[in-house]
Amino acid sequence: MGFKGRSVISVNDFSARDFDIVLKRAEEFKNLHKQGNANKISDLLKGKRIASLFFEPSTRTEKSFDAAIKNLGAEAIGFGNPSNTSVVKGEPLVDSLRMFENYDAQAIIIRHNLDGAARFAADSLKIPIINAGDGKNQHPTQTMLDLLSIKETQGKLDGLKIGVVGDLKYGRTTHSLVSALTMFSSNKFYFVSPDVLKMPLYYLDLIKNRGHDYEISNDLQEVAEKVDILYMTRIQQERFPDTMEGKEDYDRVKNLFSLHAKLLKNVKPNLKVLHPLPRNKNAIELDYSVDNTEYAYYIQQAQNGIYIREALLDLIFNDSEIYTEKKQEYKTASFQNVKPRPSAKKGIIAPIENGIVIDHIAPDKFKEVSSILGLKDPEINFSLGRVTRTNGEKKLILKVSNRNISESLLNMLAVVTPDSTVSFIEHSNVVRKGKVKLPEILNNIVACPNSSCISNLIYKEGAMPMIYVINREPAMFICHYCNIRFGENRVKLI
Ligand code: CP
């Protein structure tokens, strides 16, 4: 697939082979540093300019990217503190990004509090975007350095037992790491978290679907004694809802799982404790006593960030193969035409001279259908029939005179009342009839149910909601930006 010109948005855009390429190059660079030969890579990005835009605080990611850019001879521009920028004046994200592209940045590294911000950035610009963490969604470069740390301590990335502890609900590092490790074979995960911070079902399904296994436990010591890698994470107060309930939840769970050296007495000799850091000294999930044990590897893990980021930047600018993304085409309409029966002119739809007839509307969906078609408008002439079929099933038939219906409205009908049919009447003839059907993609029709998604209208970032239909019966959807999966019970029309 090649790396030159490639964006790094989600681990799901990468394969096990891709990770292997990045890790191998990072190992080469690490060796050069260790041998005192870092000068051999100091011109790799000479003359390049890379922007680093950190809308959220960071120590490791921001500073290791900064070091990597400089170590490879490129120029770094950007900011690490948005409160000193025009963001505070209400500047939209896309404008900030375009400015840096106009200032000749040839790649942008972005950290943002909203899920899907990196995908939106990549959609909006022509230059590569590197996701340095987007909300609770993804942190792909962290995952690459985690994989490097696992590989160098265990010698492999498969057949491992991995304990993942802490904030598994909002923890983007755990989401990215688990997704990546499922691309290798025979890994087993042990999840330890407070009840309110459980690993989302999507990742549990992913583990099973890719042939791995997992267990959920409340016993940190027991898990520590079983695993090869114990991946601790901070309970992220900043991601809890900003409500009294959110605060109470945080206080209740912040100290539930804390790793002390005394819990590591009977562990496997190859155990390594990792942590993406920072840890929180006020609700310590990783006690200082662990630092002096042979199992602690989180400081080396953070150092690996430099080599991974150097490797990635080198590949993005210098790989011999240009990245060619296979752009998948999605059908935006799926209205299924059927041949109108001659008798359709008569009976219940005959009275309409021009307009549409919608049949098989579920009785409890009329309110939504009325809203889609704007039936409250007094200018619109419609009538509604209630029918009980011989099998007892109830349905509504709606006749709307002098009204056509756009593709987008047909898609909306498919979302709210997927069994309905629409007949188009001209001069009392049915000129077209068909069954509404969910298309492959819903553009600007259904809202992402994730309140932290960049496409949420409250953020006014101009990211048009794009929802893929991944299953029709039962309907299942996935957001283009934040990758959240949801069923029809969470569907809300825009
Ligand atoms: N691991 C990590 O992302 O750390 P920072 O927040 O300090 O960048």
Side-chain angles (χ1 to χ4, degrees):
M1 287 257 272
F3 274 87
K4 192 167 181 155
R6 187 172 189 170
S7 286
V8 180
I9 306 299
S10 159
V11 295
N12 297 317
D13 302 335
F14 290 79
S15 62
R17 186 174 166 270
D18 290 330
F19 289 130
D20 198 42
I21 291 169
V22 179
L23 264 53
K24 280 211 168 82
R25 183 136 326 176
E27 281 160 355
E28 278 170 37
F29 287 4
K30 183 169 182 172
N31 283 335
L32 289 174
H33 279 281
K34 298 275 172 214
Q35 293 154 5
N37 288 328
N39 59 321
K40 290 195 174 160
I41 58 171
S42 61
D43 279 346
L44 286 176
L45 296 191
K46 199 168 175 197
K48 308 283 190 242
R49 178 176 288 171
I50 298 170
S52 172
L53 312 183
F54 276 69
F55 293 83
E56 261 196 340
S58 166
T59 298
R60 276 145 292 275
T61 314
E62 188 194 345
K63 298 306 170 200
S64 64
F65 261 121
D66 203 33
I69 291 168
K70 286 171 185 153
N71 290 348
L72 300 183
E75 181 195 357
I77 56 170
F79 55 81
N81 181 359
S83 61
N84 285 338
T85 73
S86 290
V87 170
V88 292
K89 302 174 198 162
E91 178 156 63
L93 172 62
V94 72
D95 287 2
S96 304
L97 294 165
R98 284 185 187 134
M99 287 311 110
F100 283 91
E101 190 178 36
N102 289 346
Y103 301 156
D104 287 335
Q106 284 134 305
I108 290 181
I109 298 154
I110 178 173
R111 170 170 287 192
H112 201 276
N113 56 309
L114 292 179
D115 304 357
R119 182 72 69 195
F120 176 54
D123 289 350
S124 307
L125 302 191
K126 292 191 179 68
I127 56 177
I129 302 294
I130 303 174
N131 183 3
D134 61 327
K136 62 181 181 304
N137 186 32
Q138 285 271 326
H139 196 347
T141 66
Q142 174 71 42
T143 292
M144 292 176 194
L145 73 91
D146 293 342
L147 293 180
L148 179 60
S149 308
I150 295 172
K151 194 175 161 215
E152 67 189 7
T153 59
Q154 308 297 326
K156 57 183 186 175
L157 291 170
D158 43 27
L160 293 168
K161 292 186 171 164
I162 304 119
V164 190
V165 183
D167 182 352
L168 310 185
K169 178 179 178 185
Y170 301 117
R172 59 193 175 201
T173 63
T174 67
H175 299 163
S176 291
L177 180 63
V178 168
S179 303
L181 282 169
T182 60
M183 293 178 201
F184 300 86
S185 57
S186 307
N187 287 318
K188 177 156 185 184
F189 300 89
Y190 296 82
F191 295 121
V192 183
S193 71
D195 244 20
V196 290
L197 297 176
K198 280 196 294 218
M199 183 58 84
L201 201 57
Y202 163 65
Y203 295 98
L204 301 182
D205 287 345
L206 189 71
I207 291 168
K208 288 281 182 200
N209 292 341
R210 291 187 175 165
H212 303 267
D213 199 7
Y214 70 84
E215 278 180 26
I216 294 173
S217 169
N218 276 325
D219 191 331
L220 178 55
Q221 182 168 4
E222 190 181 81
V223 167
E225 290 172 2
K226 279 184 188 162
V227 297
D228 307 297
I229 291 288
L230 192 59
Y231 194 89
M232 300 298 300
T233 62
R234 177 175 64 92
I235 305 295
Q236 302 173 97
Q237 184 172 15
E238 68 274 23
R239 308 241 183 260
F240 279 66
D242 191 13
T243 57
M244 186 58 86
E245 200 186 3
K247 195 178 165 341
E248 282 168 8
D249 270 350
Y250 173 72
D251 285 338
R252 190 165 48 78
V253 303
K254 66 183 180 188
N255 290 121
L256 281 186
F257 298 103
S258 178
L259 188 69
H260 289 252
K262 61 180 186 239
L263 300 185
L264 300 175
K265 291 222 171 79
N266 295 312
V267 296
K268 291 166 84 169
N270 62 314
L271 172 76
K272 286 291 175 260
V273 177
L274 299 182
H275 192 308
L277 302 178
R279 60 179 150 178
N280 181 0
K281 65 183 178 186
N282 301 315
I284 196 95
E285 72 281 5
L286 180 54
D287 188 71
Y288 299 125
S289 61
V290 181
D291 295 0
N292 298 323
T293 68
E294 64 195 282
Y295 310 112
Y297 202 73
Y298 28 92
I299 300 301
Q300 297 93 318
Q301 177 191 3
Q303 194 182 1
N304 279 339
I306 291 207
Y307 314 124
I308 280 291
R309 286 163 181 138
E310 285 175 353
L312 258 184
L313 289 173
D314 180 40
L315 285 163
I316 288 169
F317 282 96
N318 298 324
D319 193 29
S320 53
E321 210 181 321
I322 293 174
Y323 175 64
T324 44
E325 190 186 353
K326 277 200 204 103
K327 278 259 181 214
Q328 200 176 329
E329 295 289 325
Y330 293 95
K331 280 192 191 150
T332 56
S334 287
F335 189 67
Q336 205 176 22
N337 285 306
V338 294
K339 208 169 164 200
R341 281 182 285 133
S343 61
K345 272 203 286 177
K346 302 193 186 92
I348 204 137
I349 62 172
I352 289 198
E353 216 174 296
N354 292 294
I356 51 169
V357 176
I358 307 177
D359 198 353
H360 300 282
I361 301 171
D364 59 334
K365 297 293 179 183
F366 179 66
K367 212 169 137 197
E368 281 114 311
V369 173
S370 165
S371 159
I372 290 169
L373 297 172
L375 298 184
K376 277 203 178 136
D377 182 343
E379 304 272 299
I380 291 185
N381 183 5
F382 75 91
S383 62
L384 187 66
R386 286 169 209 279
V387 176
T388 304
R389 304 174 79 189
T390 43
N391 63 4
E393 194 185 305
K394 289 184 174 26
K395 66 170 188 171
L396 302 178
I397 302 180
L398 176 69
K399 298 175 281 179
V400 191
S401 294
N402 303 319
R403 179 84 156 81
N404 210 327
I405 185 166
S406 66
E407 187 182 273
S408 159
L409 295 187
L410 286 173
N411 285 339
M412 286 192 184
L413 284 179
V415 172
V416 302
T417 175
D419 293 325
S420 51
T421 58
V422 182
S423 298
F424 297 77
I425 317 292
E426 282 178 21
H427 308 298
S428 301
N429 285 318
V430 181
V431 292
R432 185 183 173 208
K433 181 175 179 181
K435 188 173 172 350
V436 297
K437 203 170 155 207
L438 283 171
E440 289 171 358
I441 190 166
L442 295 161
N443 286 329
N444 218 8
I445 289 173
V446 166
C448 173
N450 172 8
S451 59
S452 316
C453 178
I454 187 136
S455 68
N456 194 313
L457 297 180
I458 57 168
Y459 301 117
K460 302 185 177 126
E461 291 290 5
M464 181 184 77
M466 286 168 69
I467 306 290
Y468 302 107
V469 177
I470 51 172
N471 202 47
R472 286 206 172 102
E473 282 175 29
M476 275 302 288
F477 308 92
I478 185 166
C479 174
H480 167 69
Y481 301 100
C482 70
N483 298 318
I484 197 170
R485 283 169 188 241
F486 57 101
E488 55 193 357
N489 56 333
R490 295 181 74 194
V491 162
K492 212 173 116 218
L493 291 176
I494 286 168

Tab-separated table of all heavy atoms in Angstrom, residues 149-176:
chain	number	residue	atom	x	y	z
A	149	SER	N	7.106	-1.580	22.180
A	149	SER	CA	7.497	-1.938	23.550
A	149	SER	C	7.127	-3.382	23.865
A	149	SER	O	7.868	-4.086	24.555
A	149	SER	CB	6.821	-0.998	24.555
A	149	SER	OG	7.073	0.340	24.191
A	150	ILE	N	5.981	-3.826	23.359
A	150	ILE	CA	5.576	-5.223	23.585
A	150	ILE	C	6.520	-6.148	22.836
A	150	ILE	O	7.011	-7.146	23.382
A	150	ILE	CB	4.107	-5.444	23.137
A	150	ILE	CG1	3.154	-4.625	24.028
A	150	ILE	CG2	3.739	-6.927	23.203
A	150	ILE	CD1	1.706	-4.604	23.559
A	151	LYS	N	6.823	-5.783	21.583
A	151	LYS	CA	7.670	-6.662	20.768
A	151	LYS	C	9.068	-6.772	21.365
A	151	LYS	O	9.649	-7.857	21.438
A	151	LYS	CB	7.730	-6.126	19.335
A	151	LYS	CG	8.292	-7.121	18.362
A	151	LYS	CD	8.241	-6.636	16.942
A	151	LYS	CE	9.223	-7.445	16.106
A	151	LYS	NZ	9.854	-6.649	15.076
A	152	GLU	N	9.607	-5.642	21.832
A	152	GLU	CA	10.994	-5.736	22.323
A	152	GLU	C	11.085	-6.397	23.700
A	152	GLU	O	12.139	-6.904	24.057
A	152	GLU	CB	11.724	-4.380	22.253
A	152	GLU	CG	11.223	-3.305	23.159
A	152	GLU	CD	11.863	-1.938	22.874
A	152	GLU	OE1	12.597	-1.767	21.891
A	152	GLU	OE2	11.606	-1.028	23.679
A	153	THR	N	9.960	-6.460	24.428
A	153	THR	CA	10.027	-7.144	25.721
A	153	THR	C	9.542	-8.596	25.647
A	153	THR	O	9.931	-9.422	26.472
A	153	THR	CB	9.177	-6.415	26.796
A	153	THR	OG1	7.821	-6.355	26.346
A	153	THR	CG2	9.692	-5.016	27.050
A	154	GLN	N	8.689	-8.908	24.658
A	154	GLN	CA	8.145	-10.267	24.572
A	154	GLN	C	8.654	-11.012	23.342
A	154	GLN	O	8.417	-12.217	23.203
A	154	GLN	CB	6.613	-10.227	24.529
A	154	GLN	CG	5.965	-9.411	25.643
A	154	GLN	CD	6.243	-9.961	27.036
A	154	GLN	OE1	6.339	-11.176	27.224
A	154	GLN	NE2	6.408	-9.069	28.005
A	155	GLY	N	9.270	-10.289	22.416
A	155	GLY	CA	9.805	-10.909	21.209
A	155	GLY	C	8.764	-11.234	20.158
A	155	GLY	O	9.075	-11.836	19.135
A	156	LYS	N	7.509	-10.853	20.395
A	156	LYS	CA	6.435	-11.190	19.447
A	156	LYS	C	5.200	-10.341	19.751
A	156	LYS	O	5.139	-9.677	20.804
A	156	LYS	CB	6.079	-12.671	19.574
A	156	LYS	CG	5.652	-13.068	20.994
A	156	LYS	CD	5.378	-14.548	21.118
A	156	LYS	CE	4.822	-14.843	22.505
A	156	LYS	NZ	4.402	-16.221	22.703
A	157	LEU	N	4.244	-10.401	18.806
A	157	LEU	CA	2.994	-9.654	19.003
A	157	LEU	C	1.795	-10.588	18.955
A	157	LEU	O	0.650	-10.141	18.856
A	157	LEU	CB	2.864	-8.556	17.934
A	157	LEU	CG	3.870	-7.401	18.081
A	157	LEU	CD1	3.853	-6.492	16.858
A	157	LEU	CD2	3.580	-6.587	19.340
A	158	ASP	N	2.058	-11.878	18.964
A	158	ASP	CA	0.938	-12.822	18.983
A	158	ASP	C	1.128	-13.844	20.106
A	158	ASP	O	2.186	-13.910	20.726
A	158	ASP	CB	0.757	-13.514	17.624
A	158	ASP	CG	2.069	-13.945	17.032
A	158	ASP	OD1	3.013	-14.189	17.810
A	158	ASP	OD2	2.156	-14.040	15.795
A	159	GLY	N	0.052	-14.581	20.369
A	159	GLY	CA	0.118	-15.593	21.434
A	159	GLY	C	0.388	-14.994	22.801
A	159	GLY	O	0.986	-15.636	23.659
A	160	LEU	N	-0.091	-13.767	23.015
A	160	LEU	CA	0.195	-13.084	24.287
A	160	LEU	C	-1.063	-12.971	25.154
A	160	LEU	O	-2.190	-12.978	24.647
A	160	LEU	CB	0.720	-11.678	24.012
A	160	LEU	CG	2.090	-11.584	23.337
A	160	LEU	CD1	2.350	-10.155	22.864
A	160	LEU	CD2	3.195	-12.023	24.301
A	161	LYS	N	-0.815	-12.841	26.458
A	161	LYS	CA	-1.916	-12.528	27.386
A	161	LYS	C	-1.704	-11.086	27.833
A	161	LYS	O	-0.626	-10.747	28.343
A	161	LYS	CB	-1.881	-13.475	28.581
A	161	LYS	CG	-2.234	-14.891	28.150
A	161	LYS	CD	-2.339	-15.804	29.327
A	161	LYS	CE	-2.909	-17.126	28.835
A	161	LYS	NZ	-2.733	-18.212	29.766
A	162	ILE	N	-2.727	-10.270	27.601
A	162	ILE	CA	-2.576	-8.831	27.850
A	162	ILE	C	-3.675	-8.368	28.802
A	162	ILE	O	-4.872	-8.484	28.495
A	162	ILE	CB	-2.684	-8.039	26.518
A	162	ILE	CG1	-1.644	-8.564	25.523
A	162	ILE	CG2	-2.481	-6.540	26.734
A	162	ILE	CD1	-2.247	-9.126	24.292
A	163	GLY	N	-3.279	-7.851	29.947
A	163	GLY	CA	-4.235	-7.262	30.883
A	163	GLY	C	-4.370	-5.783	30.547
A	163	GLY	O	-3.362	-5.097	30.357
A	164	VAL	N	-5.604	-5.298	30.474
A	164	VAL	CA	-5.829	-3.878	30.160
A	164	VAL	C	-6.688	-3.328	31.294
A	164	VAL	O	-7.792	-3.831	31.549
A	164	VAL	CB	-6.523	-3.702	28.785
A	164	VAL	CG1	-6.524	-2.232	28.381
A	164	VAL	CG2	-5.824	-4.530	27.710
A	165	VAL	N	-6.178	-2.305	31.974
A	165	VAL	CA	-6.762	-1.900	33.258
A	165	VAL	C	-7.065	-0.402	33.275
A	165	VAL	O	-6.249	0.392	32.796
A	165	VAL	CB	-5.762	-2.212	34.404
A	165	VAL	CG1	-6.369	-1.884	35.772
A	165	VAL	CG2	-5.297	-3.660	34.347
A	166	GLY	N	-8.218	-0.045	33.849
A	166	GLY	CA	-8.491	1.375	34.105
A	166	GLY	C	-9.675	1.875	33.316
A	166	GLY	O	-10.752	1.278	33.323
A	167	ASP	N	-9.454	2.979	32.597
A	167	ASP	CA	-10.539	3.620	31.858
A	167	ASP	C	-10.650	3.007	30.468
A	167	ASP	O	-10.021	3.459	29.516
A	167	ASP	CB	-10.247	5.120	31.764
A	167	ASP	CG	-11.362	5.861	31.049
A	167	ASP	OD1	-12.269	5.197	30.505
A	167	ASP	OD2	-11.317	7.100	31.036
A	168	LEU	N	-11.436	1.970	30.365
A	168	LEU	CA	-11.549	1.255	29.088
A	168	LEU	C	-12.673	1.835	28.225
A	168	LEU	O	-12.754	1.539	27.042
A	168	LEU	CB	-11.795	-0.233	29.339
A	168	LEU	CG	-10.827	-0.890	30.337
A	168	LEU	CD1	-11.081	-2.390	30.411
A	168	LEU	CD2	-9.384	-0.612	29.973
A	169	LYS	N	-13.498	2.675	28.834
A	169	LYS	CA	-14.599	3.269	28.075
A	169	LYS	C	-14.107	4.464	27.256
A	169	LYS	O	-14.322	4.546	26.054
A	169	LYS	CB	-15.715	3.720	29.035
A	169	LYS	CG	-16.862	4.396	28.317
A	169	LYS	CD	-17.954	4.813	29.278
A	169	LYS	CE	-19.064	5.529	28.519
A	169	LYS	NZ	-20.076	6.043	29.445
A	170	TYR	N	-13.427	5.389	27.945
A	170	TYR	CA	-12.983	6.614	27.262
A	170	TYR	C	-11.538	6.516	26.783
A	170	TYR	O	-11.046	7.434	26.134
A	170	TYR	CB	-13.090	7.811	28.210
A	170	TYR	CG	-14.478	8.084	28.748
A	170	TYR	CD1	-14.749	8.007	30.114
A	170	TYR	CD2	-15.514	8.433	27.886
A	170	TYR	CE1	-16.018	8.287	30.612
A	170	TYR	CE2	-16.785	8.701	28.372
A	170	TYR	CZ	-17.032	8.627	29.740
A	170	TYR	OH	-18.283	8.895	30.225
A	171	GLY	N	-10.842	5.437	27.141
A	171	GLY	CA	-9.397	5.368	26.901
A	171	GLY	C	-9.052	5.078	25.444
A	171	GLY	O	-9.091	3.933	24.996
A	172	ARG	N	-8.684	6.118	24.709
A	172	ARG	CA	-8.387	5.925	23.276
A	172	ARG	C	-7.161	5.039	23.080
A	172	ARG	O	-7.068	4.312	22.090
A	172	ARG	CB	-8.193	7.287	22.593
A	172	ARG	CG	-7.075	8.130	23.190
A	172	ARG	CD	-7.147	9.564	22.698
A	172	ARG	NE	-6.165	10.412	23.356
A	172	ARG	CZ	-6.251	11.734	23.427
A	172	ARG	NH1	-7.283	12.355	22.907
A	172	ARG	NH2	-5.313	12.439	24.017
A	173	THR	N	-6.223	5.085	24.042
A	173	THR	CA	-5.027	4.241	23.870
A	173	THR	C	-5.407	2.766	23.963
A	173	THR	O	-4.867	1.935	23.233
A	173	THR	CB	-3.952	4.552	24.929
A	173	THR	OG1	-4.483	4.251	26.218
A	173	THR	CG2	-3.500	5.991	24.875
A	174	THR	N	-6.362	2.444	24.833
A	174	THR	CA	-6.762	1.038	24.961
A	174	THR	C	-7.570	0.597	23.735
A	174	THR	O	-7.411	-0.518	23.267
A	174	THR	CB	-7.583	0.782	26.251
A	174	THR	OG1	-8.831	1.459	26.153
A	174	THR	CG2	-6.853	1.253	27.485
A	175	HIS	N	-8.393	1.503	23.203
A	175	HIS	CA	-9.187	1.149	22.013
A	175	HIS	C	-8.262	0.868	20.833
A	175	HIS	O	-8.422	-0.117	20.098
A	175	HIS	CB	-10.159	2.279	21.643
A	175	HIS	CG	-11.146	2.576	22.736
A	175	HIS	ND1	-11.876	3.732	22.796
A	175	HIS	CD2	-11.511	1.846	23.827
A	175	HIS	CE1	-12.659	3.709	23.863
A	175	HIS	NE2	-12.444	2.571	24.504
A	176	SER	N	-7.277	1.751	20.637
A	176	SER	CA	-6.351	1.575	19.512
A	176	SER	C	-5.509	0.318	19.710
A	176	SER	O	-5.302	-0.452	18.772
A	176	SER	CB	-5.417	2.784	19.382
A	176	SER	OG	-6.135	3.911	18.963
